[in-house]
Amino acid sequence: YRTSLFDQASRFMIIAAAITAIPTALTGLAYGYDVQYEDIMATYFWWHRFLGIFIMLLAIITATLRELSSQKKAAYYLCLFVLFISVNVTGFLGGSLTFGIGHLW
């Protein structure tokens, strides 16, 4: 639906996500500063940390593309899709670190 209410709501949520991604990533880096994992958990932790920083940067880029002219719509939607996938993968890895490894394969 192309109503102004949905446009304003999506704009607010994307900008709010970009702003809150910064303290979220910084808090995660501080919290995991001297955590030590072994084996597969160390790999999960590395990817969780890497994707957390990636999500922070991509959220800022996505919000910036949202505010640019309509010429950048394809790049905006691509960033939004990659952001969606990245948040889900990072959440899975964080849940595996917190509650134990939940292998899907």
Side-chain angles (χ1 to χ4, degrees), residues 10-63:
S10 68
R11 181 175 185 249
F12 171 78
M13 288 185 284
I14 290 169
I15 291 172
I19 291 170
T20 58
I22 297 167
T24 301
L26 294 175
T27 303
L29 289 172
Y31 184 69
Y33 177 69
D34 47 343
V35 174
Q36 297 294 322
Y37 288 106
E38 296 178 7
D39 300 326
I40 190 76
M41 296 296 272
T43 304
Y44 276 28
F45 179 70
W46 187 89
W47 277 106
H48 182 74
R49 178 177 275 187
F50 173 78
L51 287 172
I53 296 167
F54 174 75
I55 287 169
M56 176 189 69
L57 296 173
L58 189 60
I60 294 168
I61 292 169
T62 303

Side-chain angles (χ1 to χ4, degrees), residues 50-91:
F50 173 78
L51 287 172
I53 296 167
F54 174 75
I55 287 169
M56 176 189 69
L57 296 173
L58 189 60
I60 294 168
I61 292 169
T62 303
T64 304
L65 286 173
R66 169 78 167 84
E67 296 302 311
L68 292 178
S69 66
S70 61
Q71 299 168 344
K72 305 287 185 190
K73 285 291 185 188
Y76 163 69
Y77 285 120
L78 177 64
C79 284
L80 199 60
F81 178 75
V82 172
L83 193 59
F84 171 76
I85 298 299
S86 300
V87 166
N88 282 288
V89 170
T90 305

